[in-house]
């Protein structure tokens, strides 16, 4: 059996060797490969020659396209110039008619006929239109000539539309030429001359337009003068810009330089330019009205005077600028021809270089084949051994040093293959601490490989750690390390989907710390940050396993409790959270007490709300908790959502009322009981609702007080009261009666409070002492020092200050003494209560001691009025004297007293 195997093995070995020999015999020799290798650059050179040939052909085609486009552009520019010439001669003909001169008289005086010049210009335009090949333009021009206006100033407008069409075509042609130039190698010079051509065209148009506008001003009426002056100035500026561009870009030896020199030395061009500048400066200095037009001047022996010379100079200048366009076109043609010649020269040079390269490549290939063929064959043998797993040292071949180094490198590489394979597997598996990664193969290559492996392992490890950190930072709050808003909202979205899928319930709890701003204000932000970190850790310890805690921002936290059996379980968890929050927090040498409010939104599988809507419900509930006191827990239910919708509708309605001026001011008289006369009026706001009619303030002011809408209402009241005071300035009965306006506590703390009171008075031209600002006692309690400072500023300006509803707050006498006030108003709850007489007397006596006048509100009966007067009240206000009425129903003279009891109405 063994002999059979050996025999078969020998047979197989012989067959394999024979096959290898046949494959070796079929393989192309290295010399042949070198020759073929030499052919590679030759093929590349051939492809390069073809590409260069195509490029040169494209360049010649582009040059021809540029020539054709330039010719078309010249025709269009000549056509624009011809149209302007025809317009000028047509305008001259109409102007002569305006002066009452016939063509024969003009020809006798000037030696030429305007009509002949006009017909000549028309023939030139017709010939150019034929070259332009635009039948629509020809038809429009024919119609224009038949219906030409007979007013000088309207002739230019009639031709302007046609000239604009040609100008648009010309500009499109220039733009296309610039695109072509940008695509041409070395086309920067072509772009420059195209820009010069564009500027020359602009200069020519500006020159011709100057002729038109100059004589439009000579024959225009005053009504058209401003437009003509503006156009004359604009065209002069355009001309100067265009000529400056040409002077900057032109080459000294160019056609344009010669043409520009002719223009600069032309007496006609200078004469017309000077005349246009003189006329412009004169009109801009003296105005048009004081300068008679040519048509309005006294008759002269020469009916045209110097206008004819100026006109002819302008026409000549325009023709010289047409020569400037032709010169620019010649420069473009020259540059295009130069580019084409450069393409031909470049092609010849490339062909010569490629032929030389081919000869050198073939010669080098033959020489290299003789020198390197045998060493490479030995190197191939060694490589095959390495491929077959023979790691023995290959024979040292002769030949170039590079071949010997390659053989040595193959020998060293064999020792690295196994190690490199094992290390690659460890890296691929993420085993960065595997011992195999610390092994080093011998030799320089081994050291380099080991360094690369260590660098790669460290880099992969760092990248993995960095990715983990980025993921953490992207989803966690930097201060508390809780999930941030985006992460907690994503978790809530997942929980909502899971709730619907599993038919379970979850609770979303919005926890907001109470008066956290005070912590920052009194203890600093470092203490505030420490409080937030402590609260975060307590919340994590208080929730159940599986519940999610996140920080929305500031002092707001969100807890997603999943699942919950119902409100009772959610309530127990919320109470546990509040208990944890309310534990004292040590800081410095003391303890800091803090509390929180919680709003709960319950969600089950029937709730069709997204994460933002559930968060809104929880936010609404915590707002309700804070509005009812602190350290409370509230549940968002349908009643709360309905209340939100109602408040939203009311807020929108109030905004609409402000925008559509539906608010009204009614005025109630305040009486001096000693004289029986009106000592002041109180402005009270009403809402003239389009559906509900006149609505009292109790229906909307309390709601507005909870929002910034009260600021808008307050500001409207002050502006409207100031406007009404201004209208009463001429009224003998009302001119000296001040008006009191009620100001909200929200308005009082606003930064612009003082300006919002004084500015409307200044705008209306009303003295400040005609306004009384009423501030409720409770509005002063939040920040007495700040309120006193602002009220003192108003008093210094002349505004009087009244403390309204006094007795309903908790202002101490010490505070009352420091408040700037002129009037103390006793709330009606005291004036209508007989048992409060002693308290009312105390308030009156105290107010008088502080130098204030006392106003008693809510006086409805004569008995009340008599009693309050005896106590020393300085002013009385109530239904006994008058109800609030619109300003046009005020009747101070007809005011009487009423003795019957009437129901009270809030202001």
């Amino acid at each position: 059996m063994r002999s059979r195997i050996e025999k078969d093995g020998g047979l197989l070995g012989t067959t394999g060797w024979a096959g290898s020999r046949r494959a070796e015999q079929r393989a192309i020799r290295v010399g042949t490969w070198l020759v073929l290798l030499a052919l590679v650059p030759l093929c590349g050179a051939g492809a390069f020659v073809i590409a260069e040939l195509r490029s040169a052909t494209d360049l010649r085609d582009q040059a021809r396209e540029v020539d054709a486009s330039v010719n078309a552009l010249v025709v269009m520019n000549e056509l624009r110039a011809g149209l302007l010439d025809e317009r000028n001669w047509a305008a001259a003909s109409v102007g002569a008619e305006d002066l009452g001169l016939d063509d024969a008289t003009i020809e006798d005086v000037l030696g030429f006929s305007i009509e002949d010049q006009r017909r000549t210009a028309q023939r030139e335009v017709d010939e150019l239109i034929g070259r332009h090949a635009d039948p629509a333009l020809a038809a429009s021009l024919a119609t224009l000539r038949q219906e030409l206006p007979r007013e000088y100033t309207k002739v230019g407008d009639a031709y302007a539309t046609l000239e604009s069409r040609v100008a648009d075509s010309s500009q499109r042609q220039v733009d296309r030429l610039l695109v072509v130039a940008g695509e041409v190698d070395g086309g920067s010079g072509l772009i420059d001359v195209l820009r010069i051509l564009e500027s020359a065209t602009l200069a020519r148009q500006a020159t011709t337009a100057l002729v038109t506008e100059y004589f439009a001003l000579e024959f225009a009426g005053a009504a058209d003068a401003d437009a003509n002056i503006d156009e004359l100035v604009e065209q002069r500026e355009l001309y100067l810009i265009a000529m400056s561009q040409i002077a900057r870009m032109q080459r000294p030896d160019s056609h344009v330089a010669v043409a520009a020199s002719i223009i600069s030395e032309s007496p006609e061009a200078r004469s017309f330019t000077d005349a246009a500048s003189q006329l412009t400066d004169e009109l801009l200095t003296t105005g048009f009205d004081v300068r008679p037009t040519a048509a309005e001047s006294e008759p002269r022996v020469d009916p045209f005077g110097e206008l004819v010379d100026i006109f002819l100079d302008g026409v000549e200048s325009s023709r010289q600028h047409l020569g400037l366009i032709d010169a620019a076109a010649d420069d473009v043609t020259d540059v295009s021809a130069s580019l084409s010649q450069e393409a031909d020269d470049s092609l010849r040079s490339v062909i010569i270089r490629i032929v030389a390269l081919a000869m050198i490549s073939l010669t080098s290939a033959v020489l290299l084949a003789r020198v390197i063929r045998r060493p490479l064959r030995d190197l191939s043998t060694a490589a095959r051994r390495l491929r077959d797993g023979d790691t023995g040292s290959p024979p040292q071949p002769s030949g170039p040093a590079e071949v010997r180094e390659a053989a040595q490198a193959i020998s060293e590489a064999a020792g690295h293959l196994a190690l490199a394979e094992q290390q690659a597997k460890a890296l691929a598996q993420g085993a960065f601490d595997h011992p195999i990664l610390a092994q080093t193969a011998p030799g320089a290559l081994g050291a380099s490989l080991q360094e690369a492996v260590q660098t790669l392992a460290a880099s992969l490890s760092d990248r993995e750690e960095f990715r983990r950190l980025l993921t953490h930072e992207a989803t966690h709050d930097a201060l508390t390390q809780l999930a941030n808003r985006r992460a907690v909202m994503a978790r809530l979205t997942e929980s909502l989907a899971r709730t619907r899928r599993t038919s379970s319930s979850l609770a979303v709890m919005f926890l907001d710390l109470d008066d956290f701003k005070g912590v920052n204000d009194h203890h600093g932000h470092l203490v505030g940050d420490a409080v937030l970190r402590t609260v975060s850790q307590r919340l994590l310890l208080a929730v159940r396993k599986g519940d999610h805690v996140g920080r929305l921002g500031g002092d707001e936290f969100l807890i997603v409790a999943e699942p919950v059996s119902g409100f009772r379980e959610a309530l127990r968890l919320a109470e546990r959270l509040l208990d944890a929050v309310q534990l004292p927090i040590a800081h410095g040498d003391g303890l800091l007490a803090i509390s929180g409010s919680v709003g709960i939104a319950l969600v089950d599988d029937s709730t069709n709300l997204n994460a933002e809507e559930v968060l809104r419900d929880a936010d609404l509930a915590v707002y309700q908790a804070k509005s009812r006191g602190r350290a409370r827990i509230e549940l968002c239910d349908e009643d709360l959502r309905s209340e939100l919708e109602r408040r939203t509708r009311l807020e929108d309605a109030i905004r609409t009322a402000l925008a559509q001026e539906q608010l009204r001011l009614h005025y109630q008289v305040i009486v001096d009981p000693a004289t029986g006369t009106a000592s002041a009026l109180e402005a009270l706001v009403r809402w003239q609702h389009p559906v509900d009619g006149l609505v009292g303030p109790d229906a909307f002011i309390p709601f507005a007080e909870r929002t910034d809408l009260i600021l808008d209402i307050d500001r409207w009241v002050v502006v409207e009261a100031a406007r009404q005071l201004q209208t009463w300035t001429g009224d003998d009965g009302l001119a000296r009666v001040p008006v009191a306006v009620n100001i909200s506590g929200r308005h009082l703390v606003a930064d612009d409070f003082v300006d919002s009171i004084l500015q409307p008075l200044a705008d209306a031209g009303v003295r400040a002492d005609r306004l009384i600002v009423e501030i409720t006692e409770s509005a002063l309690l939040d920040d007495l020092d700040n309120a006193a400072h602002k009220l003192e500023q108003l008093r210094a300006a002349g505004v009087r200050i009244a403390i309204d509803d006094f007795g309903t707050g908790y202002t101490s006498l010490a505070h009352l003494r420091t408040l700037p006030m002129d009037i103390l108003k006793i709330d009606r709850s005291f004036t209508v209560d007989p048992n409060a007489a002693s308290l009312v007397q105390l308030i009156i006596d105290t107010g008088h001691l502080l130098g204030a006048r006392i106003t008693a509100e809510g006086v409805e009966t004569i008995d009340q009025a008599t009693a309050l007067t005896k106590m020393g009240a300085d002013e009385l206000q109530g239904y006994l004297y008058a109800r609030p009425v619109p300003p046009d129903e005020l009747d101070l003279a007809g005011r009487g007293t009423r003795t019957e009891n009437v129901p009270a109405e809030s202001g």
Side-chain angles (χ1 to χ4, degrees), residues 318-342:
S318 181
R319 289 174 179 168
Q320 290 171 356
H321 283 82
L322 181 60
L324 183 66
I325 296 176
D326 293 335
D330 291 339
D331 285 340
V332 174
T333 303
D334 291 346
V335 172
S336 177
S338 175
L339 289 175
S340 180
Q341 182 63 41
E342 289 177 4

Side-chain angles (χ1 to χ4, degrees), residues 33-144:
W33 277 115
L34 289 174
V35 173
L36 294 176
L37 185 62
L39 293 178
V40 172
L42 289 179
C43 294
F48 181 75
V49 170
I50 295 174
E52 285 291 313
L53 180 60
R54 183 178 295 120
S55 176
T57 304
D58 292 341
L59 184 59
R60 284 199 299 269
D61 292 340
Q62 289 170 337
R64 294 190 184 99
E65 181 180 358
V66 169
D67 290 339
S69 298
V70 168
N71 292 333
L73 182 60
V74 170
V75 171
M76 284 186 280
N77 288 331
E78 290 177 351
L79 178 56
R80 292 177 66 187
L83 285 171
L84 289 173
D85 287 339
E86 180 178 337
R87 179 179 73 175
N88 288 339
W89 289 113
S93 176
V94 173
E97 291 180 8
D98 292 342
L99 295 174
L101 301 174
D102 57 28
D103 194 54
T105 303
I106 295 173
E107 186 172 7
D108 290 340
V109 174
L110 303 179
F112 63 85
S113 168
I114 290 179
E115 287 301 319
D116 289 344
Q117 295 293 336
R118 178 181 177 182
R119 284 191 290 272
T120 299
Q122 288 180 347
R123 285 194 298 272
E124 292 176 355
V125 169
D126 291 340
E127 190 272 333
L128 290 170
I129 287 180
R131 291 168 60 189
H132 183 52
D134 190 346
L137 181 63
S140 299
L141 180 60
T143 302
L144 171 61

Side-chain angles (χ1 to χ4, degrees), residues 223-239:
D224 302 322
D226 289 341
N228 293 123
I229 292 172
D230 292 342
E231 184 65 21
L232 188 67
V233 172
E234 180 180 355
Q235 294 299 327
R236 184 174 66 171
E237 291 299 323
L238 289 176
Y239 175 79

Side-chain angles (χ1 to χ4, degrees), residues 412 415-416 419 423 439-453:
E412 293 178 357
H416 304 322
L419 178 61
Q423 290 177 333
Q439 294 185 18
T440 304
L445 179 60
S448 298
L449 180 61
Q450 177 61 21
E451 182 179 359
V453 168

Side-chain angles (χ1 to χ4, degrees), residues 699-756:
F700 62 96
I701 289 297
F703 169 76
E705 286 277 6
R706 296 196 297 269
T707 70
D708 287 341
L709 283 173
I710 194 63
L711 301 180
D712 298 329
I713 295 175
D714 273 7
R715 291 174 180 134
W716 177 88
V717 168
V718 174
V719 171
E720 179 63 18
R723 185 197 64 78
Q724 188 63 57
L725 283 169
Q726 195 278 332
T727 62
W728 285 338
T729 301
D731 188 301
D732 294 337
L734 293 168
R736 295 183 180 84
V737 179
V739 170
V741 295
N742 293 280
I743 296 300
S744 164
R746 278 179 175 264
H747 193 182
L748 178 61
V749 299
D751 293 337
D752 65 341
F753 169 69
V754 175
D755 289 339
S756 68

